[in-house]
Amino acid sequence: PPPPPSQKTLLLKTSFTYTLGFLLTSYSFSLSTASFTETIKSSEPITSTLVALYFSVSPVSSGEFLGIFLIILGVSSTVHDASSSHTPSILTSTPNPNLSLMITLVSNLCFSFRNVYQTILKKEMRNFNTFRFFHGMCQVRFERWLNYDTYYKGNGARGG
């Protein structure tokens, strides 16, 4: 059975942020070296924790704060080394580590919001499991695509 409207909205938000996160990560790879992008991507637990705290989705233990502190140390110690050896990207003639950094951080935020939406869905859905979650996301994506495709093809067929 299809999910109720409130869950459908959360599934749509989850689907959107998840997809956008991957698109931005891929774009970031084109702007700098893979090692630089992956180094910044490794800081995603930091953004996930901050977003979860902001939305009061789940508490953070002292052990998790210690882990985040260690991630911050690790990422900050390697970012300089990773950003020093950029090669020109496919999309631009010169490397752009600053733009890559910003895009990767936004990508991290997208994945963090996906985690928040998934946590909220877990609380709302009975018998939540990963398969049902991804099936619901695909169902919502397909419905959006079908509505979009039908609308624009229908308008094109009528000449408007």
Side-chain angles (χ1 to χ4, degrees), residues 41-140:
K41 289 296 298 167
S42 68
S43 67
E44 192 265 326
I46 298 166
T47 55
S48 288
T49 302
L50 293 174
V51 169
L53 285 173
Y54 182 78
F55 287 100
S56 302
V57 173
S58 59
V60 179
S61 69
S62 57
E64 289 170 319
F65 271 119
L66 176 62
I68 288 174
F69 177 72
L70 294 174
I71 290 170
I72 291 170
L73 287 178
V75 170
S76 62
S77 69
T78 58
V79 166
H80 176 69
D81 292 335
S83 66
S84 63
S85 61
H86 290 293
T87 56
S89 80
I90 295 170
L91 299 177
T92 60
S93 59
T94 58
N96 197 337
N98 293 330
L99 181 58
S100 177
L101 172 68
M102 296 307 296
I103 288 173
T104 306
L105 290 174
V106 173
S107 168
N108 283 353
L109 279 173
C110 287
F111 286 117
S112 299
F113 276 101
R114 179 194 86 59
N115 291 337
V116 166
Y117 297 140
Q118 183 176 351
T119 302
I120 294 169
L121 274 170
K122 280 183 183 180
K123 291 176 182 177
E124 287 188 9
M125 292 176 80
R126 293 183 191 150
N127 304 324
F128 179 89
N129 64 42
T130 304
F131 176 76
R132 283 186 57 195
F133 172 69
F134 282 103
H135 177 3
M137 278 191 0
C138 290
Q139 200 174 21
V140 168

Side-chain angles (χ1 to χ4, degrees), residues 3-14:
S6 66
Q7 291 176 4
K8 213 172 193 178
T9 300
L10 281 170
L11 283 168
L12 181 62
K13 289 178 181 179
T14 305

Side-chain angles (χ1 to χ4, degrees), residues 21-42:
F22 279 114
L23 290 172
L24 291 173
T25 298
S26 295
Y27 182 54
S28 179
F29 277 125
S30 75
L31 296 172
S32 66
T33 61
S35 61
F36 180 75
T37 298
E38 284 300 328
T39 300
I40 304 306
K41 289 296 298 167
S42 68

